[in-house]
Amino acid sequence: MKKISAIIIAVILSVFQLNAQNTFSGKAEFDQTVVDFGTITVNDPPQTAVFTVKNVGSDPLTILSAISSCGCTGVSWTRETLQPGEKGVVEATYANQDGPFPFDKTVTVYLSDIKKPVKLHLKGKVVKQ
């Protein structure tokens, strides 16, 4: 019985930890911080990831900028200020024509009133057909 209780507690704690990893300064919560496209080919069209951010704080929140780690990844984001409870998006599109190779591209997101930027990742592996 103790073993089952320990397992249940571990699962509950891991769920809280996963949620905490996507919440930043108690003000912004991302639905995910990593999108794994898996295996794609050099001939596949560009791959797009949408990261949803929710203002979980009590003050307005603005996505100030989102910068990709290379020219192969285009980024757009919600420009309007998010009121408490509102959601916005950061959309990143990876053009995979330079493969084949594994990739892990970073999008650095700067948010108002949050000192450290949020790092979002696009990853996967590009292979020949």
Side-chain angles (χ1 to χ4, degrees):
M1 185 68 171
K2 285 185 178 182
K3 189 173 185 176
I4 292 173
S5 296
I7 292 171
I8 291 171
I9 290 171
V11 168
I12 290 171
L13 289 175
S14 68
V15 167
F16 283 118
Q17 183 179 7
L18 286 174
N19 189 38
Q21 290 175 350
N22 291 341
T23 302
F24 300 89
S25 297
K27 298 177 182 185
E29 180 179 277
F30 280 81
D31 63 335
Q32 59 191 341
T33 56
V34 177
V35 170
D36 188 343
F37 292 121
T39 302
I40 56 178
T41 71
V42 292
N43 295 325
D44 284 340
Q47 306 294 303
T48 300
V50 178
F51 300 91
T52 301
V53 60
K54 181 179 181 181
N55 180 350
V56 294
S58 57
D59 296 320
L61 179 72
T62 303
I63 303 170
L64 301 172
S65 67
I67 302 167
S68 67
S69 60
C70 75
C72 62
T73 305
V75 183
S76 63
W77 62 91
T78 301
R79 304 291 177 148
E80 296 81 21
T81 297
L82 305 174
Q83 298 304 316
E86 288 185 335
K87 294 179 180 179
V89 297
V90 175
E91 187 173 296
T93 301
Y94 171 68
N96 55 313
Q97 67 268 21
D98 293 332
F101 53 80
F103 64 91
D104 184 354
K105 304 301 178 183
T106 305
V107 175
T108 304
V109 180
Y110 294 89
L111 300 151
S112 61
D113 295 327
I114 297 178
K115 292 181 182 181
K116 281 183 79 173
V118 176
K119 301 282 187 172
L120 306 176
H121 292 269
L122 308 174
K123 65 183 210 172
K125 182 179 180 182
V126 178
V127 297
K128 292 183 181 179
Q129 289 226 335

